Amino acid sequence: MTRASELKKSDVIEHNGGLFVIRQIDVQSPSARGAATLYRVRAQQVGGGSKFEERYKGDEDVTTVSLQRRPVHFSYVDGDDYVFMDDEDFSQYPLKGEDIADELPFITEQGDGVVALRVGEAVIGLELPASVVLTITETAPAMKAASASARTKPATLETGLVVQVPEYLQEGEKVKINTAERKFMSRA
């Protein structure tokens, strides 16, 4: 049990018999005297299922699940399973493609910073780094007169993800992508 005021993003809570990963926490402090601070929690079911939103008072207890975070890297695809290898003890964790569909556009073979979330011996999902470096594989040609203004063009990255990039970038360049917002950050 954890107090609602102590919850953090990426904690796993138990709700209606399912496990949910916290994606966002909004704090609402009422101006009235004696009123309790409210914490609005938005969470998604582990493995990419349903979402829910709940409000808790700051002193309310919330059932949390203790997680083990293990550094992993992508190893290979086996049918519908994506197999990840533990960087420390070389255990292999197969995860269904549909369960990690949101994370797949950011995972490459040399991708570092990916963490497997385990409850007991079961892997329940992946946690991505805040940003990843990907190569542009397809985009419109760079414009000679392109300025550093806010004009953008679509670019397809090595994993198939399509993001808007500044129009001066061209194919083959490495770019830094924010994994939470799925947006271009800078050249790498």
Side-chain angles (χ1 to χ4, degrees):
M1 294 287 231
T2 305
R3 288 187 177 268
S5 60
E6 298 169 355
L7 290 174
K8 300 181 297 291
K9 191 175 172 183
S10 80
D11 279 353
V12 176
I13 61 176
E14 193 172 328
H15 180 74
N16 290 340
L19 298 178
F20 291 82
V21 178
I22 296 176
R23 298 290 184 206
Q24 184 177 354
I25 299 175
D26 295 325
V27 181
Q28 298 172 337
S29 299
S31 59
R33 292 183 184 175
T37 300
L38 296 175
Y39 294 85
R40 186 172 70 187
V41 174
R42 291 186 182 135
Q44 183 174 9
Q45 190 165 17
V46 169
S50 62
K51 298 178 181 179
F52 87 96
E53 184 174 315
E54 186 73 44
R55 290 185 181 174
Y56 299 104
K57 291 182 180 177
D59 59 352
E60 195 173 337
D61 286 332
V62 180
T63 305
T64 56
V65 178
S66 63
L67 286 177
Q68 292 179 325
R69 288 176 159 78
R70 304 287 298 200
V72 296
H73 67 273
F74 174 66
S75 191
Y76 62 92
V77 178
D78 182 22
D80 292 339
D81 292 343
Y82 288 79
V83 180
F84 293 83
M85 185 181 295
D86 192 309
D87 290 344
E88 295 170 5
D89 67 6
F90 307 111
S91 301
Q92 294 188 353
Y93 307 123
L95 293 166
K96 295 278 182 210
E98 63 215 26
D99 293 343
I100 57 170
D102 289 342
E103 290 88 356
L104 283 178
F106 304 103
I107 296 174
T108 61
E109 289 184 23
Q110 68 275 8
D112 293 328
V114 179
V115 175
L117 304 174
R118 289 181 17 182
V119 174
E121 291 301 313
V123 175
I124 60 169
L126 297 174
E127 185 175 272
L128 296 171
S131 64
V132 294
V133 175
L134 299 171
T135 305
I136 297 174
T137 57
E138 185 180 327
T139 189
M143 296 177 59
K144 284 199 176 225
S147 64
S149 67
R151 295 191 332 198
T152 61
K153 63 182 178 181
T156 304
L157 305 176
E158 62 186 294
T159 59
L161 180 67
V162 177
V163 295
Q164 293 290 319
V165 299
E167 50 185 24
Y168 58 83
L169 293 176
Q170 52 192 344
E171 291 179 12
E173 290 195 58
K174 292 186 181 285
V175 292
K176 192 180 227 183
I177 304 296
N178 181 319
T179 57
E181 297 177 1
R182 296 177 170 243
K183 290 185 178 179
F184 168 84
M185 292 172 65
S186 66
R187 278 184 171 158

